[in-house]
Amino acid sequence: MKKQTKISLNGKTTFEEYKKQVLADYKLANESRQASLLGRKEVLTGKAKFGIFGDGKEIAQIAMAKVFQNGDFRSGYYRDQTFAFAAGISTVKEFFAQLYADTNLKNEPASGGRSMNGHFANRLLDDKGEWKNLMKMKNTSADISPTASQMIRLVGLAYASKLYRGLKDLHSMTEFTDKGNEVAFGTIGNASCAEGMFFEALNAAAVLMIPMTVSIWDDGYGISVPSKYQIAKENISEVLKGYDYDEESGQGFLIYTAKGWDYQELISMYEEGIKIVREKHIPAIFHVKEVTQPQGHSTSGSHERYKSKERLEWEKDYCCIIQMRKWMLANALGTDEELDIIEKDAKDYVKKMQLEAWDDYIKPIKKENEDVRNIIGNIAKDSSRSEEINKISDDLKKSLDYNRKVISEAMDEVLRITRDESSEKRDALKGWRNKFKEDNSRRYDSHLYSESKNSALKVAEVKPVYNDDSKVQDGREVLNAFFDIAFKRDPRIFAIGEDLGKLGDVNQGMAGLQAKYGELRLTDTGIREATIVGQGIGAALRGLKPIVEIQYLDYLFYAMQIITDDLACLQYRTAGGQKAPLIIRTRGHRLEGIWHSGSPMGSVINCFRGVYVCVPRDMTRAAGFYNTILKSDEPALIVERLNAYRLKEKLPENIGEICIPLGVPELLSEGTDITIVTYGACVDIARDAMTKLNEVNISVELIDVQTLIPFDINKIILESLKKTNRILFLDEDVPGGASAFMMQNVVDRDGGYRYLDSQPRCLAAKPHRPAYGTDGDYFSKPNAEDIFEEIYGMMHESDPQKYPLIF
Ligand SMILES: Cc1ncc(C[n+]2csc(CCOP(=O)(O)OP(=O)(O)O)c2C)c(N)n1
């Protein structure tokens, strides 16, 4: 076959060299395709539960991987297996290990069997939870399933490069950066571009001017729903044209398009685009059109149900691998024989990897299955229920369910039916069961929080120190004094938020610090809570120490999705492979009206397992929590008390050093009749009520829990309850919110029910939002009179004579 001369060599100097590259790429594309085909079979034959694959996107992803360098980061979604293989982030064998949910991290390093297939992550941390050298690796932040959510942290991954480039003090962090030359690569499906967070992320990137790219794999559908229902004009790059970069404003992004089956066009597009992004920090969109999805969306359905005959025909013709093969043949980049061999080899290789992955996955399970059958068999020998036990053993042996669930069920069934028997053999089974439970707890429950030496729970307490000359200041000034020291001490700390830069936040906790430390350390942002948090997650993943501000607690809901779906489960879903130690700073509880005085702590704590939640009653304690978290490698939410910025506090001499331990309630005053458990602004309301209760000889023990997550790890409240035998959980959340959470912990988790002489009570706000004005607040939230009435009622119930009815 004759060589054609029209083709570009895509930067290679000789045709032969180029041919070698093209053949290698063809091989990889075929391997990835075979992984998709075989993966689907594995699900349909019952060896895996669910499969979602990257077929149809192979060539575009190979092109993208060519410009992805060490130190760069990907934030993508489940279609990116070819990119992961091409970049060396994952292997075919690991891909199958994840499909089977192999919990062995050696086999499935992305999530240790916790995430479904196609959810990629490389291990940024070593076994001790310490950062590896990210500049020696191709990095991918851990994927999540909610569509477009990957866009949020993508902003932060790219923003870190801006900080690393602009802040000279960070240039020595050579394990994280080469002076900010790293690019953040996002990927997304065309339909997911309809999500609000896609637009929020793009707008943020175009304002911030960060090296962020978004590749859109456009196959014309979102599951069954075609583009005309998803995107205006059915063309996302057309819609985005107003964002086209222009030199005059210096803002916007570059917009490229290419066809998903055109190898040369794709390679040229990425080479040109990424060079500009990397050098000039101009963001870019790569709209990859005419992409196919040969096997349909996932193993849950078949695309014949919703794609027309014509579309299905077109997809066959324009399959990127078929088109690449045609192009290679037409340009003497391979012969039919050569390409047939590559295709066959790819199939064989993938089959071999699949078998090895299955073997690695199933061997330990089979061994456990066998061990249990042996023990059960022994029990059967002396048991009156031997027939039933032998049947359980046989069923276990024959079971086609390749999992530990069937082992657990069989074991417990034997223990149940032999409950009246006792023998050493039965004890052996109980022992085996305990170990099995421990192992599975390790497999499935580890790393919700950091297990490293830098865990926030290991930060030692440093108490505030005062002397006779200690100044009395507004709370905001106490906080400001702390932040000043923190910014001076650690160049990795930066803060972003609405009105946080020039103004120093709406309550001036950071006033004057931008002038002192510069605009990159303390920065105003647009009004976009989700990406404010995303900026923090991404930058924290790259070794920085962000403090991201949500102006009011009431607006946290805009960012709640990303905190719960991404940040809170990051360590968990990577089984300790990644961490994002950032602080989300906000202010809340009592102030004024429906959207400035909420305290939705129940919603927060139930979504935030994996993120610590600190609820300081004053700014000294807030500073102590900031310091504790900054010393740790974990994320936390710190809710400053809105009505305490202008209350007077003594400034500790060691304000920069104090550390408040997490999960340790503080006993604020001792009493004998009842314990009040509360936090935040309610502490002062409770104090007010206590004065009134003292007048009628009711002695109250007051406890400030200080943090909701973790909650009272040393059971301090239980000790108080043992003394008072009555307890009231007080807060300004809705009924059944955080007050119920506190009660559950004390009464149920810690066994407090044993020490109760009266019904444990919760006093919360009304179920509606707090109304505006003094009276709106007074009648919507618990006040001192309510507390008095509640507690007096409890005392009346226990001793009506001593405490006759008042109301
Ligand atoms: C927030 C959210 N809504 C719905 C889904 C269910 N879902 C999963 S994939 C998908 C379609 C995505 O289509 P597209 O973005 O075009 O990507 P593709 O799968 O076609 O590559 C939907 C609706 C989800 N995962 N997350």
Side-chain angles (χ1 to χ4, degrees):
M1 193 181 292
K2 265 189 152 181
K3 184 180 91 181
Q4 297 209 348
T5 48
K6 266 191 285 172
I7 58 164
S8 140
L9 298 187
N10 284 135
K12 295 283 180 226
T13 46
T14 67
F15 181 81
E16 280 316 310
E17 206 186 320
Y18 185 56
K19 181 177 170 183
K20 215 166 117 193
Q21 173 203 297
V22 173
L23 287 171
D25 289 345
Y26 189 68
K27 176 170 172 279
L28 183 65
N30 273 281
E31 284 171 4
S32 183
R33 178 62 60 89
Q34 288 303 324
S36 300
L37 295 170
L38 189 53
R40 186 175 173 90
K41 269 194 204 147
E42 289 300 278
V43 176
L44 299 183
T45 53
K47 278 157 79 187
K49 293 209 93 167
F50 174 78
I52 193 152
F53 304 105
D55 42 322
K57 287 95 194 153
E58 291 90 348
I59 308 301
Q61 294 184 13
I62 286 171
M64 185 171 101
K66 286 186 189 298
V67 291
F68 191 82
Q69 298 182 357
N70 279 358
D72 285 348
F73 261 87
R74 162 190 170 278
S75 180
Y77 78 120
Y78 48 78
R79 296 283 179 218
D80 293 346
Q81 72 198 45
T82 316
F83 171 78
F85 299 154
I89 284 169
S90 183
T91 64
V92 172
K93 195 167 157 188
E94 286 168 357
F95 183 75
F96 279 98
Q98 194 176 46
L99 190 70
Y100 301 135
D102 191 332
T103 53
N104 185 337
L105 277 171
K106 286 201 179 99
N107 304 331
E108 205 282 85
S111 78
R114 292 175 182 189
S115 271
M116 59 169 57
N117 90 303
H119 287 59
F120 303 99
N122 67 318
R123 300 195 77 75
L124 307 178
L125 308 177
D126 65 20
D127 292 347
K128 296 193 173 107
E130 304 280 352
W131 292 110
K132 291 185 188 170
N133 185 340
L134 306 191
M135 293 305 288
K136 291 204 165 143
M137 303 190 292
K138 308 261 172 78
N139 302 300
T140 182
S141 55
D143 291 352
I144 57 178
S145 299
T147 50
S149 293
Q150 69 272 27
M151 293 294 107
I152 301 298
R153 90 179 88 85
L154 177 66
V155 177
L157 291 168
Y159 186 63
S161 287
K162 179 172 174 145
L163 296 176
Y164 278 130
R165 185 171 280 184
L167 292 168
K168 299 240 169 345
D169 283 350
L170 301 177
H171 287 184
S172 57
M173 291 175 66
T174 51
E175 302 208 332
F176 293 94
T177 190
D178 172 19
K179 300 189 183 81
N181 285 335
E182 302 74 34
V183 173
F185 287 72
T187 66
I188 189 167
N190 55 295
S192 303
C193 296
E195 293 278 14
M197 50 184 74
F198 171 77
F199 288 93
E200 184 179 320
L202 287 191
N203 183 66
V207 169
L208 292 167
M209 294 308 286
I210 49 178
M212 171 175 131
T213 72
V214 180
S215 292
I216 302 160
W217 315 136
D218 189 347
D219 72 331
Y221 287 83
I223 309 187
S224 68
V225 183
S227 284
K228 71 171 176 171
Y229 292 98
Q230 309 273 10
I231 300 291
K233 305 179 187 180
E234 300 180 47
N235 188 338
I236 187 67
S237 50
E238 190 64 28
V239 169
L240 293 174
K241 272 195 172 148
Y243 276 104
D244 210 358
Y245 173 72
D246 76 89
E247 280 185 19
E248 205 184 321
S249 68
Q251 288 190 325
F253 39 77
L254 307 168
I255 301 175
Y256 292 90
T257 61
K259 295 176 285 299
W261 47 266
D262 191 330
Y263 177 81
Q264 292 229 296
E265 188 182 34
L266 287 161
I267 290 182
S268 305
M269 173 180 82
Y270 278 113
E271 274 183 356
E272 183 190 314
I274 295 298
K275 190 167 184 310
I276 303 173
V277 175
R278 200 179 293 285
E279 285 173 12
K280 301 193 172 159
H281 279 196
I282 300 174
I285 297 291
F286 300 105
H287 184 188
V288 180
K289 300 175 170 182
E290 299 190 27
V291 169
T292 67
Q293 204 141 279
Q295 299 192 111
H297 178 75
S298 71
T299 51
S300 296
S302 92
H303 58 163
E304 285 82 9
R305 279 192 300 160
Y306 50 82
K307 285 182 186 162
S308 67
K309 247 170 97 180
E310 294 73 35
R311 171 77 194 186
L312 289 167
E313 276 308 310
W314 179 86
E315 288 208 13
K316 269 189 198 142
D317 290 346
Y318 281 84
C319 160
C320 59
I321 294 183
I322 289 178
Q323 286 292 328
M324 185 171 177
R325 181 177 167 122
K326 274 190 190 166
W327 168 79
M328 288 168 76
L329 291 172
N331 291 286
L333 288 157
T335 62
D336 267 321
E337 295 71 36
E338 272 175 310
L339 301 187
D340 285 350
I341 290 172
I342 287 177
E343 286 171 24
K344 180 173 179 314
D345 285 353
K347 196 169 176 179
D348 292 347
Y349 169 73
V350 168
K351 182 72 198 164
K352 184 166 177 290
M353 291 301 106
Q354 175 261 313
L355 287 173
E356 283 182 18
W358 175 254
D359 208 41
D360 287 348
Y361 163 71
I362 202 67
K363 246 189 196 154
I365 297 180
K366 277 193 168 156
K367 166 89 175 56
E368 287 169 32
N369 186 308
E370 204 179 303
D371 285 353
V372 165
R373 281 188 283 112
N374 284 337
I375 303 174
I376 292 178
N378 276 340
I379 297 174
K381 283 179 201 157
D382 312 323
S383 171
S384 60
R385 313 287 292 262
S386 60
E387 211 171 298
E388 289 154 87
I389 297 172
N390 285 329
K391 169 138 187 2
I392 292 169
S393 181
D394 283 352
D395 287 349
L396 190 55
K397 188 172 184 183
K398 284 188 252 162
S399 171
L400 289 177
D401 289 333
Y402 308 101
N403 54 47
R404 294 186 167 94
K405 175 171 171 268
V406 288
I407 301 175
S408 176
E409 288 167 344
M411 204 164 30
D412 280 24
E413 178 67 5
V414 170
L415 289 171
R416 275 198 299 270
I417 63 175
T418 59
R419 64 190 174 280
D420 297 330
E421 301 175 4
S422 71
S423 67
E424 271 181 24
K425 291 165 185 167
R426 198 170 172 278
D427 289 345
L429 183 61
K430 284 207 260 178
W432 200 94
R433 182 180 183 271
N434 286 343
K435 166 86 171 55
F436 181 72
K437 285 207 164 219
E438 261 172 40
D439 290 345
N440 286 317
S441 179
R442 184 77 206 148
R443 282 182 190 110
Y444 295 109
D445 306 331
S446 77
H447 292 100
L448 181 56
Y449 300 96
S450 170
E451 296 181 7
S452 81
K453 69 175 178 10
N454 300 313
S455 151
L457 301 182
K458 294 185 183 149
V459 175
E461 178 176 14
V462 179
K463 290 197 161 95
V465 174
Y466 301 98
N467 61 32
D468 292 346
D469 307 328
S470 292
K471 280 188 267 180
V472 174
Q473 294 191 318
D474 281 355
R476 67 175 183 85
E477 292 172 303
V478 172
L479 208 50
N480 193 286
F482 167 75
F483 283 132
D484 193 1
I485 294 169
F487 275 91
K488 192 172 185 177
R489 185 162 61 195
D490 189 343
R492 295 171 303 168
I493 298 176
F494 72 92
I496 59 165
E498 298 153 17
D499 303 290
L500 177 146
K502 206 172 169 62
L503 193 64
D505 83 52
V506 284
N507 292 91
Q508 278 116 64
M510 293 189 174
L513 301 185
Q514 187 188 65
K516 210 164 166 183
Y517 298 102
E519 227 178 290
L520 280 179
R521 300 288 303 284
L522 293 103
T523 307
D524 283 318
T525 66
I527 307 171
R528 45 176 182 79
E529 284 75 13
T531 46
I532 287 173
V533 171
Q535 262 176 273
I537 299 173
L541 273 163
R542 293 193 56 197
L544 295 171
K545 290 260 174 196
I547 300 175
V548 300
E549 182 176 306
I550 301 297
Q551 198 160 71
Y552 294 95
L553 177 56
D554 305 69
Y555 309 133
L556 187 65
F557 284 100
Y558 274 58
M560 203 93 143
Q561 181 272 333
I562 208 64
I563 297 171
T564 182
D565 281 331
D566 193 353
L567 178 64
C569 65
L570 178 67
Q571 291 231 26
Y572 177 78
R573 74 179 187 272
T574 56
Q578 299 194 357
K579 62 182 174 185
L582 79 144
I583 293 178
I584 301 163
R585 176 188 188 213
T586 191
R587 50 188 72 84
H589 314 314
R590 286 175 194 249
L591 192 68
E592 285 299 342
I594 292 179
W595 290 281
H596 295 85
S597 58
S599 187
M601 299 315 298
S603 307
V604 166
I605 54 179
N606 286 322
C607 288
F608 276 36
R609 307 299 160 96
V611 174
Y612 292 126
V613 177
C614 309
V615 280
R617 66 178 181 277
D618 59 26
M619 299 307 157
T620 306
R621 258 130 287 269
F625 285 130
Y626 281 114
N627 214 14
T628 298
I629 301 300
L630 284 170
K631 283 189 173 180
S632 80
D633 64 356
E634 303 205 67
L637 173 78
I638 298 177
V639 184
E640 292 166 19
R641 181 180 149 191
L642 246 175
N643 61 8
Y645 291 107
R646 284 175 200 284
L647 297 182
K648 297 292 177 199
E649 292 180 30
K650 248 188 178 185
L651 177 69
E653 298 306 310
N654 59 345
I655 184 69
E657 310 306 321
I658 54 174
C659 286
I660 310 275
L662 303 189
V664 182
E666 189 175 346
L667 182 63
L668 296 179
S669 58
E670 294 195 34
T672 51
D673 292 322
I674 183 161
T675 303
I676 297 182
V677 179
T678 190
Y679 59 88
C682 278
V683 170
D684 280 349
I685 312 259
R687 280 181 167 142
D688 189 5
M690 279 166 63
T691 315
K692 303 176 203 305
L693 288 159
N694 278 339
E695 283 167 19
V696 293
N697 296 322
I698 296 174
S699 159
V700 174
E701 183 138 310
L702 179 62
I703 295 180
D704 175 4
V705 301
Q706 307 218 75
T707 61
L708 287 167
I709 301 177
F711 186 83
D712 188 10
I713 49 183
N714 302 322
K715 302 189 186 173
I716 287 171
I717 301 168
L718 188 70
E719 289 311 307
S720 170
L721 183 56
K722 282 181 188 170
K723 191 165 74 169
T724 61
N725 309 113
R726 285 182 201 87
I727 194 160
L728 176 75
F729 298 94
L730 167 73
D731 78 356
E732 48 186 296
D733 192 5
V734 292
S739 58
F741 166 83
M742 296 192 288
M743 179 159 81
Q744 184 266 328
N745 274 296
V746 176
V747 175
D748 171 11
R749 184 195 72 178
D750 298 342
Y753 70 94
R754 281 172 290 177
Y755 305 98
L756 288 167
D757 284 348
S758 296
Q759 178 193 339
R761 304 299 296 259
C762 290
L763 182 59
K766 298 284 171 56
H768 54 72
R769 299 282 180 107
Y772 176 64
T774 302
D775 285 350
D777 170 69
Y778 184 83
F779 290 108
S780 299
K781 296 228 173 177
N783 54 56
E785 283 66 37
D786 292 335
I787 299 169
F788 180 94
E789 189 172 348
E790 189 75 28
I791 289 181
Y792 191 85
M794 289 167 82
M795 297 309 291
H796 165 77
E797 206 177 70
S798 66
D799 190 345
Q801 284 196 328
K802 189 168 173 198
Y803 303 104
L805 278 180
I806 301 179
F807 306 109

